[in-house]
Amino acid sequence: MSGARRIGEVVLSVQDVSLSFGGVRALQEVSFDVREHEVRAIIGPNGAGKSSMLNVLNGVYHPQKGTIRFRGQEFADMESHRAAEMGIARTFQNIALFKGMSVLDNIMAGRNLKMRTNLLLQALRIGPALREEIEHREVVERIIDFLEIQAYRKMQVGRLPYGLQKRVDLARALAMEPSVLLLDEPMAGMNLEEKQDMCRFILDVNDQFGTTIVLIEHDMGVVMDISDRVVVLDYGRKIGDGTPDEVRGNQAVIDAYLGVKH
Amino acid sequence: MRKNWPVILLGAVLLTGLVLPLATGASPPGFYIEVLLGGLMAGVLYSLVALGFALIFKASGVFNFAQGAMVLFAALAVARLAERMPLWAAMLLALAIMVVLAWLIERLVLRPLVNQEGVALLMATLGVTYFLDGFGQTVWGSDIYSIELGIAKEPVMVLEKLFQGGILVNKEDFVAAVVAAALVLGLALFFQKTATGRALRAVADDHQAAQSVGIPLNRIWVIVWSVAGLVALVAGVIWGSKLGVQFSLSQVALKALPVVILGGFTSVTGAVIGGLIIGVGEKMAEVFLSPILVKTFDLAGGGIENWFAYVLALLFLLVRPEGLFGEKHIDRV
Amino acid sequence: MLYRENGQFKSTYSSDQQMLPILQDRVLMGALLVAAFVAVPLLISDYVFLSLLIPFLILTLAAIGLNLLVGYCGQISIGHAAFMAVGAYAAYNLSQRIPQLNFLVVLVLAGLIAAAAGILFGLPSLRIKGLYLAVATLAAQFFMDWLFARVKWFTNYSPSGSVSPPAIELFGWVIDSPPEKYVFLLGVLVVFTLLAKNLVRAHIGREWMAMRDMDVAAEVIGIRPVYAKLTAFAVSSFYVGVAGALWGFVHLGSWEPLAFNLNLSLNLLFMIIIGGMGSLLGSYFGAAFIVALPILLNQVPAWLGMPISTEMASHLEFMIFGALIVLFLIVEPHGLARLWAIGKEKLRLWPFPH
């Protein structure tokens, strides 16, 4: 694991974020920060509000209270496409891929923010429009190589097995060249080998591109191995925050996982 | 809550428009009341068709574009059968036919499409409409037929002492209103008080959850569509006796779409209130607004009522998509 | 074994991305174009042009337009003939009031005006979708029906309410015979198909498809829903507006406002359902089917010795349409285009079973 020297300043933080759906309180006054280049894990029992937290971080849900700070700018309400424009990308627990498109097209869709030619040029497919298609295709092919999915690039994503779909989801997020990558249970439903592959990919992304990673994960082994710091949520509240070792020894965390009433 | 002002604004504009002809004295009060009543009666008829929509949507989440064609089919059946047998027998037989039709539609069209999204179902019911149109006319013929309900068709003059010249009221329309009210009441009780009604509401909320507690989905759907068939029959008979049974009936039934938008797709009350609003709004707009527009813009005739309902629905969709009585939809990711 | 890609390797991205990557496809397309442009005008009778080919070409253009909106971007519209009307009346007024304009310019301007109308009536799609949007598009349909019937300016104050523009004249070439009309329309259609294909392969096409498949995820990767939906409405209405102008000028010759009614809108929708949503080829198939069916229904029973009345034929048409819509939605939601693609797959393997 690379040393703490590479970890930079706070790049993303939430203060006192509260989120409710009707009567259900998903998050209650949660605050934590994320430093540049680090791998931050969010863990907690089921229903703790982890996915909701991620959704708040990139603007899919709007919290009733609290603020989000990204690179010094403060937001109470952020549209998810604004978050994307600012450099936050994510993957989904249930793989929100575009089922009607091929793997290649899905990942190319991730390049969308960088493609700027106007409608007319696209319709004529000349000059800048044509060059753009080829340039971005090259970038996407490098990502495909990186995630080792070359054989599937022309297939419709709906036909791929679950593990490969998750990789395409990751590829699409990477195509956005994000500075912060939010991963929602990237290893759910995978066997040991697939998990090892995915771990390797995530660490490589963090190493080679310096991308800050925030991930939700249930596998404690993975969390302890790859994360720099960990946030623990339970029933929508933060009950632990620190390095993996600190959190492992935290009594409140142990109680939450063992189901001790509090 | 802070987003409520567009709704209030829209309501205010509509109310102003409603009261204006009377307030400015542009029309004699008797005439105004007549137009109002005419609108209410038309509204009742729209409500009847919209009820069918709302029922099916409430119970199965299917937007039954074919409701209009079902109304026409039912009306045709009654009209033609009544040529050979007494009216009550014709209606019973037609009801049986409608129930069978409902079962067929559920079996052949809905069940295979149960997992598709709403738009696919909409288009399927569109297909059913076309099929029923052609089939109905093949079986029953395409002339204009009439349904004789035995109610006097001549309008009656009432309240001559209160308003100068009195007000013309149509007996037929009055009966229609009463029947519609009775139907609505019956349905409301059915949904709220009976076990089947509860099951229907459960199904409307979440198919899978309802199935998992043992509610027989398919049987429920057949019940719902049969009830919708009944409603279509009543609507068809009333419309048919008023307008004559002809092809344009299914076009008229199309107007019920804006009604459910105003009222809320899942609300029986909404279908009624929405129908009344549309009926009154349309008539008022046509009688009082059209002449103004024709004069100001030198138009070749009126006809606002052809689009008034839809534009009103459009405005409602922008400010209050769930309608007056519908349920708000929360999308969870 | 004829239809194999063996030996056809692509060494550049641009060759991989070309429209017809398989050599056999390119050969076929070339032959088809030659046949369409050269052989057909020489060999086909006027009747076939007027009753089949000319309506087919124009309706395919309209179907492509609607397909871009519904099939590629996932926004439903059941009142799209309203924009055909806008295009037709715009073209009429432009050609009448500014006669010096070249007809191609008139077409493009008419398309742009239709596009503007499309954006206006597409605004509701920013807040509502699915069934609700469908009903909103009906508002466009009925409003336009009324507008062109009542506002006399549009029909140049014609007393009967109908308009009859003269034959199209392009750089001195008067297009009034059926083969001439056919060649003109074919040229327009080929160009527009090419443009549509390019759009669909470019990033706007992927934006549209992303909005269709999962709009929440689309937003998350940075697609702005407003831009995607409104461009879909705009481009779609442009195509449909041009088609409307051509429908009025070339096919109908003269028309009244109800020429672009709900029935036409629903027919367009049926074309793309049966032909295949999200497929340009499907638009061709669907249009061909809708144009051919009434003719078949009129002729075939007579051939078989069982003539049926025109009324009966029209009822049958309705029944067959309706039944086919339901059938396709259940069995093959991707329409004839998918069946065609499956056929091609089998052809690639032929004579081997797999």
Side-chain angles (χ1 to χ4, degrees):
Chain A
M1 210 172 64
S2 310
R5 57 185 157 79
R6 62 171 165 75
I7 295 176
E9 294 304 308
V10 171
V11 64
L12 177 63
S13 68
V14 290
Q15 287 93 29
D16 294 320
V17 161
S18 295
L19 177 71
S20 336
F21 298 108
V24 178
R25 294 205 282 198
L27 295 169
Q28 296 179 56
E29 284 150 31
V30 177
S31 306
F32 66 90
D33 60 44
V34 180
R35 289 174 177 277
E36 191 137 33
H37 306 312
E38 79 171 329
V39 177
R40 193 83 145 104
I42 303 180
I43 66 175
N46 277 326
K50 309 189 291 291
S51 279
S52 301
M53 190 68 243
L54 226 59
N55 282 337
V56 164
L57 283 177
N58 87 315
V60 175
Y61 290 161
H62 300 143
Q64 279 80 13
K65 282 204 287 261
T67 52
I68 310 153
R69 277 188 102 96
F70 183 63
R71 297 197 185 283
Q73 275 189 297
E74 214 172 82
F75 302 94
D77 235 336
M78 175 166 50
E79 295 295 327
S80 42
H81 60 81
R82 269 296 284 143
E85 283 165 17
M86 292 193 298
I88 304 177
R90 67 167 292 169
T91 63
F92 290 86
Q93 200 174 1
N94 297 322
I95 311 178
L97 287 176
F98 305 124
K99 289 272 156 57
M101 299 201 259
S102 67
V103 168
L104 188 59
D105 279 338
N106 264 275
I107 308 174
M108 286 286 277
R111 295 301 291 170
N112 205 67
L113 275 173
K114 319 247 177 228
M115 300 182 88
R116 285 275 152 258
T117 53
N118 65 39
L119 268 179
L120 193 56
L121 283 177
Q122 288 176 64
L124 296 170
R125 207 172 172 90
I126 52 175
L130 191 57
R131 277 197 295 276
E132 210 180 46
E133 281 288 312
I134 297 178
E135 272 166 23
H136 291 288
R137 172 74 186 269
E138 282 172 6
V139 173
V140 166
E141 287 290 340
R142 270 183 261 135
I143 297 176
I144 289 179
D145 282 344
F146 176 71
L147 289 175
E148 296 163 17
I149 44 178
Q150 299 90 327
Y152 311 101
R153 59 162 85 75
K154 294 279 173 78
M155 283 185 68
Q156 253 210 332
V157 289
R159 297 200 199 153
L160 293 177
Y162 183 77
L164 284 172
Q165 287 189 14
K166 276 205 125 52
R167 261 194 246 178
V168 177
D169 204 11
L170 180 59
R172 187 179 61 182
L174 289 177
M176 291 164 65
E177 291 177 28
S179 55
V180 176
L181 184 56
L182 311 174
L183 301 172
D184 198 341
E185 300 200 32
M187 298 175 221
M190 289 186 176
N191 62 33
L192 188 58
E193 276 173 31
E194 290 172 327
K195 277 196 196 182
Q196 287 176 340
D197 281 337
M198 191 53 99
C199 269
R200 180 167 48 92
F201 292 139
I202 295 176
L203 286 175
D204 280 345
V205 166
N206 179 253
D207 249 345
Q208 288 178 27
F209 307 127
T211 316
T212 312
I213 307 225
V214 179
L215 83 148
I216 297 177
E217 190 40 60
H218 278 298
D219 187 329
M220 282 307 129
V222 166
V223 170
M224 297 304 159
D225 250 349
I226 71 173
S227 12
D228 294 313
R229 286 194 300 156
V230 179
V231 174
V232 191
L233 297 179
D234 187 28
Y235 287 109
R237 291 189 187 281
K238 184 174 84 167
I239 60 171
D241 186 352
T243 66
D245 286 325
E246 286 166 11
V247 159
R248 195 182 356 221
N250 185 325
Q251 187 60 38
V253 173
I254 298 173
D255 286 346
Y257 273 98
L258 291 177
V260 172
K261 277 214 185 76
H262 52 273
Chain B
M1 271 302 138
R2 56 174 195 245
K3 294 206 170 148
N4 249 347
W5 67 262
V7 187
I8 300 177
L9 186 65
L10 187 60
V13 169
L14 287 175
L15 271 174
T16 325
L18 186 66
V19 181
L20 214 55
L22 200 60
T24 57
S27 107
F31 179 64
Y32 181 83
I33 301 275
E34 259 174 39
V35 175
L36 188 64
L37 281 179
L40 283 172
M41 297 305 180
V44 163
L45 296 179
Y46 289 144
S47 301
L48 276 179
V49 184
L51 261 180
F53 272 131
L55 276 177
I56 295 185
F57 194 82
K58 202 181 174 64
S60 64
V62 175
F63 188 61
N64 181 24
F65 211 84
Q67 191 67 17
M70 281 170 68
V71 169
L72 175 62
F73 195 84
L76 274 174
V78 170
R80 296 291 264 143
L81 289 173
E83 289 168 9
R84 295 151 202 267
M85 57 184 86
L87 188 64
W88 63 265
M91 291 211 272
L92 277 178
L93 190 53
L95 181 61
I97 295 177
M98 292 311 288
V99 172
V100 170
L101 187 67
W103 184 81
L104 280 173
I105 294 179
E106 194 276 319
R107 200 85 221 277
L108 297 174
V109 178
L110 292 188
R111 212 184 288 190
L113 289 174
V114 75
N115 284 322
Q116 305 254 20
E117 352 116 0
V119 180
L121 287 167
L122 165 74
M123 298 203 269
T125 50
L126 240 158
V128 171
T129 306
Y130 264 66
F131 184 82
L132 276 183
D133 265 345
F135 184 60
Q137 292 186 68
T138 311
V139 170
W140 308 114
S142 39
D143 291 327
I144 302 178
Y145 303 105
S146 63
I147 299 180
E148 299 303 329
L149 286 180
I151 307 173
K153 286 204 195 291
E154 307 83 39
V156 163
M157 196 75 83
V158 299
L159 294 177
E160 276 162 307
K161 301 210 188 66
L162 223 57
F163 298 99
Q164 202 181 36
I167 307 175
L168 280 174
V169 169
N170 209 315
K171 239 196 190 162
E172 210 167 20
D173 290 343
F174 185 69
V175 171
V178 171
V179 169
L183 195 60
V184 168
L185 204 62
L187 286 171
L189 286 172
F190 176 65
F191 273 113
Q192 294 297 121
K193 304 290 181 196
T194 66
T196 320
R198 253 198 312 281
L200 281 170
R201 283 185 289 140
V203 166
D205 217 31
D206 189 330
H207 294 173
Q208 287 191 317
Q211 265 184 318
S212 67
V213 295
I215 295 179
L217 218 57
N218 296 325
R219 210 171 339 141
I220 293 289
W221 284 359
V222 172
I223 295 178
V224 167
W225 279 75
S226 304
V227 173
L230 169 66
V231 173
L233 183 67
V234 173
V237 166
I238 293 183
W239 269 113
S241 90
K242 187 176 166 64
L243 292 181
V245 179
Q246 48 182 312
F247 184 67
S248 62
L249 206 57
S250 64
Q251 303 286 25
V252 166
L254 204 58
K255 206 65 82 72
L257 286 175
V259 172
V260 286
I261 287 187
L262 249 75
F265 275 85
T266 52
S267 164
V268 166
T269 331
V272 172
I273 307 266
L276 294 177
I277 296 180
I278 296 268
V280 169
E282 226 177 45
K283 271 284 180 306
M284 290 284 175
E286 185 59 33
V287 171
F288 295 121
L289 189 55
S290 266
I292 302 179
L293 287 181
V294 170
K295 240 192 290 178
T296 333
F297 295 106
D298 187 29
L299 299 176
I304 289 190
E305 57 188 357
N306 288 331
W307 54 261
F308 182 81
Y310 293 95
V311 172
L312 188 59
L314 179 58
L315 292 173
F316 251 83
L317 280 173
L318 297 177
V319 302
R320 201 184 164 88
E322 68 273 19
L324 293 167
F325 297 94
E327 298 140 13
K328 255 200 136 103
H329 202 62
I330 304 181
D331 269 314
R332 285 201 79 160
V333 180
Chain C
M1 70 201 142
L2 290 169
Y3 197 66
R4 294 219 131 220
E5 295 158 60
N6 276 344
Q8 296 179 40
F9 296 108
K10 308 284 181 290
S11 51
T12 61
Y13 292 130
S14 54
S15 62
D16 187 52
Q17 282 175 346
Q18 64 188 286
M19 240 188 303
L20 301 168
I22 304 177
L23 178 65
Q24 290 89 332
D25 275 340
R26 289 200 288 277
V27 169
L28 215 61
M29 181 58 78
L32 196 65
L33 285 173
V34 167
F37 272 104
V38 177
V40 166
L42 298 174
L43 300 174
I44 302 290
S45 74
D46 274 3
Y47 169 72
V48 172
F49 280 125
L50 290 171
S51 60
L52 275 177
L53 292 175
I54 288 175
F56 162 68
L57 291 174
I58 304 177
L59 289 177
T60 304
L61 185 62
I64 290 179
L66 187 60
N67 217 338
L68 288 176
L69 182 66
V70 181
Y72 283 93
C73 192
Q75 309 299 308
I76 183 83
S77 169
I78 53 180
H80 232 55
F83 303 118
M84 282 181 81
V86 173
Y89 281 100
Y92 176 71
N93 277 284
L94 284 167
S95 65
Q96 291 293 102
R97 294 164 198 277
I98 319 177
Q100 314 90 323
L101 280 181
N102 180 304
F103 188 71
L104 290 177
V105 175
V106 168
L107 268 186
V108 170
L109 285 176
L112 289 174
I113 295 176
I119 293 179
L120 184 65
F121 279 93
L123 287 173
S125 74
L126 302 178
R127 297 209 61 187
I128 55 179
K129 46 183 172 177
L131 325 171
Y132 301 90
L133 184 60
V135 181
T137 56
L138 276 182
Q141 171 74 62
F142 290 122
F143 182 73
M144 293 300 182
D145 274 352
W146 175 86
L147 189 72
F148 293 121
R150 303 300 179 197
V151 178
K152 301 188 207 150
W153 187 86
F154 289 116
T155 56
N156 214 2
Y157 300 94
S158 135
S160 62
S162 63
V163 301
S164 326
I168 301 173
E169 196 184 313
L170 205 56
F171 306 115
W173 170 37
V174 177
I175 307 176
D176 55 2
S177 78
E180 287 175 332
K181 291 182 180 180
Y182 163 79
V183 171
F184 172 65
L185 291 172
L186 186 62
V188 172
L189 182 61
V190 167
V191 169
F192 272 73
T193 306
L194 216 67
L195 295 176
K197 183 75 180 161
N198 284 337
L199 281 177
V200 159
R201 294 190 292 159
H203 67 261
I204 190 69
R206 288 188 290 266
E207 273 192 42
W208 289 341
M209 293 194 275
M211 288 301 298
R212 171 196 69 193
D213 287 343
M214 199 172 290
D215 47 2
V216 181
E219 262 198 86
V220 163
I221 63 175
I223 294 175
R224 286 177 176 264
V226 174
Y227 183 73
K229 290 183 187 180
L230 290 183
T231 47
F233 267 96
V235 174
S236 163
S237 306
F238 180 82
Y239 269 67
V240 162
V242 171
L246 292 172
W247 187 251
F249 275 67
V250 180
H251 177 62
L252 294 176
S254 92
W255 71 89
E256 9 51 68
L258 288 181
F260 298 101
N261 63 6
L262 183 64
N263 209 41
L264 185 56
S265 291
L266 292 178
N267 272 347
L268 288 180
L269 202 58
F270 290 165
M271 277 180 228
I272 65 174
I273 295 179
I274 293 180
M277 290 192 280
S279 156
L280 294 178
L281 187 59
S283 315
Y284 278 78
F285 287 150
F289 188 86
I290 300 280
V291 168
L293 188 66
I295 310 230
L296 282 175
L297 280 177
N298 266 314
Q299 311 283 36
V300 168
W303 290 346
L304 293 177
M306 293 184 302
I308 54 179
S309 68
T310 16
E311 224 190 331
M312 187 65 209
S314 127
H315 295 324
L316 261 184
E317 200 182 304
F318 271 60
M319 284 171 63
I320 295 183
F321 273 166
L324 274 175
I325 297 285
V326 174
L327 192 70
F328 268 96
L329 282 170
I330 295 177
V331 171
E332 186 48 87
H334 297 280
L336 292 170
R338 173 58 64 87
L339 294 176
W340 172 264
I342 294 178
K344 272 181 41 173
E345 277 298 308
K346 297 260 190 279
L347 193 58
R348 286 169 80 178
L349 298 169
W350 183 78
F352 304 106
H354 59 262

